[in-house]
Each structure stands twice: as structure tokens, then as C-alpha cells.
Amino acid sequence: MKFNTKVIHGGQHHDPSTGAVMPPVYQTSTFVQTSPGQPINPDYEYSRAANPTRSALENALASIENGTRGLAFSSGLAATDCVLRSFKAGDEIISMDDLYGGTYRMFTRIYKNSGIKFHFVDMNDIEKFKSLINENTKLVWVETPTNPLMKLADIQEIAKITKEKKILFAVDNTFATPYLQKPLDLGADIVMHSATKYLGGHSDVIAGALIVKDEALGEQLHFQQFATGATLGPMDSFLVLRGIKTLHLRVERHCENGGKVVEFLNSHPKVKTVYYPGLPSHPYHEIAKKQMSGFGGMVSFTFVSGQKEDAIDFLEKLNVFTLAESLGGVESLANHPALMTHASIPEDKRKEVGITDDLVRLSVGIEDAEDLIEDLKQALA
């Protein structure tokens, strides 16, 4: 199947008992057994281990990322936490230096205290990255594009190194979505999504996902999920699955509107720098062209003045864009990373990677582009 067909049919089956086109919401905690240890369906004993609605979502996740196993979690951070539970004190993890604030917080304030050592590096400095690898290195964690500076990492190039060194390689594919980028096909071992964002697509659910190709790794991660309990409920699974069925249509429109917004911002006299991988001036534009089929709907920019007050004034004047955390919904959202999504990162670390106080991040939705541009124009005026 090609992608547009996969999001609707991939890994999916009509309900065998009723013929329902969409999988029912199996709002049940447990399943009947005919004799002790003999459930009617051997796949389902207790919903923490498996639930038919969640299974339908997990099959769809595996299909659209070209994996063999998908796992659905109660949040993107729960999915990340499941991966981190594979490691112990003394292990080392190399991570992209520009990260979602919640991921950075988990790495530095939870797992660092467990004795795991983290290195944060620009993954485009391959020699620096390679110099950090040693016998204790167990995982490489990458976001591409990154949140919020839209940095990119060459997945294929990094995968060559991790495979040679027998190190797990995980990619947070939230911003790109599987419609624009396939990390497993490029050599990654694990794909993570905050399914709250583009996969759900309607700002009505909190969810996370992991997808792998290696079946043994999938079984290990499933055990860690089952043993710790951060599973996605059946109603939320249904909502994410419903969102996935229109993913291709929505992301096409996000890309189209994102390009128009970037064109406007890039020529505005009050805007200093626009961060968007589709711009030829973007330092990693060639990587984006190589590994992505489009450039997405996430855009960040700074002001010529460099003043935080100008960013706040702009955000307070928006009418169509909604000032709120999160991204990837049908509605356009605006965010101030330093005060909102990345506030948990210390100020000196934010400045080190380039998250300035005048930086604004936009999640460009699927409204009429003309209305979005008019809103930006009046807020900048």
C-alpha cells in the first residue's frame, strides 16, 4: 500500500463480531476466562497488557512507520520513559542538543539521578558526536526537525555509525510525521511520537507512541510498558486512530500553509531570522531535501529588536493563532518557548543552543492561509 491508503487501511481489519468499519471502543478493564489461565481470546486478559482498541491503533502505527511493532502510551513522555528504562547506572546516552523541554527535563532531572550519563551535542558535528562514543554508550537520541529551532540531523549518516558500534538509535519524529519522514527506513531502531500532536491532530488527546522494526526489541519495550503501566486508554486510542486516517490530508495543508507563512515572515522588516527547513537559507536545507518529502507546518522566528517584550506583545495581539502550548492540531497555535514549552531548560542552556527570549514558535494549522497571514500582519504592526 502507498501511504495515503496505509493511514486508512494499514494493519486494520473490520470488527469480526459485527462488521463495524471502525474498531469499537472496548471500554473494559478485563476479559473473561473459561478456565484459570484460559482466556476466550489468548491475546486479551487484562487491558494494561492489551486492549483491542489499542491494538488497532498500534497496528496502524507500525504500518505507517514501516515497522513490525507499535506501542501506544499515555503520553509522548511516557513513551520516552519506556525507552530510558532499558538502561542502568553507568550507561551513557548521546542526545541532540536542541530538545523538547520535557525530554531534557526527564534526561537531566530524572534519569541523570539514576546514574545514567547524558551528552548533548550538535549532531551535525559528526566528529564531535563520534568522539563521545565509548563502550558505555547505549543510545543515541535525536529530534529532527528539532523543537523549537528546526535543526536537522542526517538520520542515515548517524545510523551508519550506530549500527557499526551496535548502539540503539532513537528518533523523535513528532515534527515531521511519518508522512514526511521515515526514520526506520533510514536506519533508526526506534521511532517516538508525541501522538498528541500531528497523529491525533485535533488537540483533544494526550498520547505517545513507539515503533520498531526488530521484533525482539519490540517485545522488550512492550514488557517495560506492561510492567510499568503507562498505556493508552481505549477512548484515547480510538481518537488517535481516527486522527491518523486524515494525517496525509492534514499534513499536506500544514506544509502548504507553512510555506506561505514563512514567505510572509521572511520578508517582514520586524523579523530577523526565520527557522524553517524549507528555506534554502536554512543551514540544513539539503538534509531536509534528502530525508523529508516536505517541510512541515512548524515555524520559529526572532525579532530584529531582539526584545522579549516584542515577542510577548506580538503573541498577545494574535486573534486567529491561539496562544497555547502544544502543536500539530488543525488550529494554528503560537508559543513562546522560553516562557512556555522550554521553561524547564535552564536559561544558560537555552541561550547556548539559541533559544532566545524573543523566539516565537508557530504551529501553522489548516485554516485559510490568507487569514493566518492577515493575523500575523496585524499582530506585527
Side-chain angles (χ1 to χ4, degrees):
M1 291 182 185
K2 296 193 183 302
F3 189 84
N4 294 356
T5 309
K6 271 189 177 183
V7 293
I8 297 168
H9 299 289
Q12 300 304 294
H13 307 282
H14 299 148
D15 180 60
S17 60
T18 64
V21 173
M22 281 296 285
V25 179
Y26 285 90
Q27 200 73 50
T28 183
S29 60
T30 192
F31 302 85
V32 70
Q33 301 191 13
T34 55
S35 183
Q38 299 293 319
I40 287 179
N41 185 325
D43 292 331
Y44 302 108
E45 297 180 13
Y46 188 61
S47 276
R48 174 162 44 81
N51 175 283
T53 315
R54 190 167 80 242
S55 295
L57 169 60
E58 292 173 335
N59 292 338
L61 291 167
S63 174
I64 62 177
E65 281 284 12
N66 295 337
T68 61
R69 185 75 178 261
L71 298 168
F73 293 81
S74 54
S75 70
L77 283 174
T80 303
D81 179 65
C82 182
V83 176
L84 270 287
R85 288 179 183 274
S86 305
F87 310 107
K88 63 183 186 307
D91 289 343
E92 297 188 17
I93 293 172
I94 302 173
S95 171
M96 196 89 169
D97 59 350
D98 183 28
L99 280 179
Y100 165 54
T103 307
Y104 182 86
R105 179 177 58 226
M106 179 184 292
F107 287 2
T108 59
R109 297 180 63 182
I110 303 294
Y111 281 98
K112 186 179 177 183
N113 294 336
S114 300
I116 297 174
K117 186 174 182 180
F118 291 88
H119 303 276
F120 298 95
V121 65
D122 182 347
M123 286 292 177
N124 291 283
D125 187 343
I126 294 294
E127 292 308 311
K128 175 68 173 174
F129 161 55
K130 287 167 72 173
S131 74
L132 294 170
I133 296 173
N134 60 58
E135 61 185 10
N136 297 320
T137 307
K138 304 301 182 190
L139 174 72
V140 172
W141 183 277
V142 161
E143 286 181 21
T144 181
T146 63
N147 181 2
L149 293 172
M150 312 301 158
K151 291 183 181 179
L152 275 84
D154 190 324
I155 297 171
Q156 213 162 18
E157 193 65 28
I158 295 168
K160 288 177 188 174
I161 298 166
T162 56
K163 286 194 186 312
E164 179 189 338
K165 302 289 187 181
K166 295 181 171 51
I167 301 166
L168 280 176
F169 178 24
V171 175
D172 181 338
N173 202 30
T174 300
F175 271 26
T177 81
Y179 182 63
L180 302 179
Q181 183 171 267
K182 300 284 197 309
L184 295 180
D185 290 354
L186 295 168
D189 300 298
I190 302 170
V191 171
M192 195 286 288
H193 283 277
S194 172
T196 307
K197 315 304 194 295
Y198 286 105
L199 297 186
H202 294 78
S203 302
D204 56 6
V205 64
I206 300 290
L210 295 177
I211 306 97
V212 300
K213 269 193 173 168
D214 182 79
E215 292 183 8
L217 177 59
E219 191 57 41
Q220 174 194 329
L221 292 171
H222 175 257
F223 170 76
Q224 287 164 197
Q225 178 192 40
F226 163 72
T228 56
T231 53
L232 192 63
M235 188 66 217
D236 289 343
S237 296
F238 177 86
L239 289 172
V240 176
L241 184 59
R242 184 180 67 170
I244 285 173
K245 289 182 182 293
T246 59
L247 179 67
H248 57 304
L249 296 173
R250 289 184 286 104
V251 175
E252 281 179 2
R253 184 59 174 263
H254 286 298
C255 290
E256 179 187 334
N257 282 358
K260 291 177 180 177
V261 164
V262 165
E263 186 179 354
F264 166 75
L265 290 173
N266 209 34
S267 61
H268 197 282
K270 288 187 179 179
V271 173
K272 181 180 180 182
T273 305
V274 179
Y275 300 93
Y276 186 69
L279 283 171
S281 59
H282 190 286
Y284 309 118
H285 179 62
E286 292 305 314
I287 296 176
K289 287 200 300 182
K290 182 175 81 165
Q291 68 188 28
M292 298 174 71
S293 60
F295 304 115
M298 297 303 300
V299 183
S300 294
F301 70 94
T302 58
F303 290 79
V304 170
S305 68
Q307 297 299 308
K308 178 170 72 173
E309 291 73 21
D310 285 346
I312 292 172
D313 183 59
F314 163 80
L315 290 165
E316 288 177 347
K317 287 180 178 175
L318 291 169
N319 294 317
V320 180
F321 280 83
T322 300
L323 177 58
E325 295 192 359
S326 199
L327 58 105
V330 291
E331 63 288 302
S332 293
L333 300 176
N335 166 60
H336 188 278
L339 293 175
M340 296 166 71
T341 52
H342 290 67
S344 60
I345 297 177
E347 185 178 1
D348 61 328
K349 291 295 182 185
R350 290 200 304 267
K351 289 181 177 177
E352 191 178 304
V353 298
I355 303 173
T356 57
D357 286 345
D358 66 326
L359 182 74
V360 168
R361 189 195 74 189
L362 302 177
S363 173
V364 181
I366 65 172
E367 303 94 337
D368 282 305
E370 292 77 8
D371 291 330
L372 297 177
I373 290 168
E374 282 302 314
D375 192 32
L376 296 172
K377 189 182 294 183
Q378 64 83 23
L380 284 164

